[in-house]
Amino acid sequence: LMEVGIALAVLSAGILVFGRFLDGFNRLRALEWAKAKSVVAVGETVEELVRKPPRCRDSSFVRNEVKVVLNAVPGVKPLAWVEVSSVKRREVELRRLVRCEKIR
């Protein structure tokens, strides 16, 4: 009977350790999933700004949990620096030079 009690204690400890490991794994997976969604959202916003050029003026706005900052480049060609970053996860950030529409 004593051996059965010790075996159950060892089994319980193993199940507890495995449960903690699984919980940590699920948390890490959720964080990675959220970061991947942020990267995709930022990339899609940059591509949308390339397809549909914004107006050439300094501005900033938030669209779909993505912050966009436009800085017009003075010169002959209508260009603007675009800084796109995730609102929730600040480490996701892209910068790109895009064409923009001249303000008439």
Side-chain angles (χ1 to χ4, degrees):
L1 191 60
M2 188 69 146
E3 293 172 352
V4 173
I6 292 173
L8 285 176
V10 170
L11 182 64
S12 297
I15 289 173
L16 181 66
V17 169
F18 181 72
R20 296 264 180 175
F21 171 75
L22 192 59
D23 183 49
F25 176 76
N26 284 336
R27 284 186 196 167
L28 183 63
R29 188 179 65 146
L31 287 173
E32 290 297 323
W33 182 254
K35 185 173 181 178
K37 285 175 58 176
S38 295
V39 169
V40 168
V42 166
E44 286 176 349
T45 303
V46 169
E47 289 302 315
E48 182 180 336
L49 291 170
V50 170
R51 282 192 310 264
K52 296 179 185 177
R55 294 198 166 260
C56 285
R57 66 172 176 237
D58 294 347
S59 63
S60 67
F61 55 91
V62 176
R63 181 189 306 164
N64 298 333
E65 298 184 7
V66 175
K67 181 180 178 185
V68 179
V69 178
L70 293 166
N71 294 317
V73 176
V76 179
K77 291 187 178 183
L79 298 173
W81 276 108
V82 177
E83 295 179 16
V84 183
S85 62
S86 176
V87 173
K88 290 183 178 178
R89 304 187 63 82
R90 296 297 301 166
E91 71 262 10
V92 180
E93 186 174 317
L94 291 175
R95 292 186 186 107
R96 181 171 179 177
L97 192 62
V98 297
R99 292 191 182 275
C100 56
E101 293 180 2
K102 285 187 177 179
I103 301 173
R104 295 180 182 140

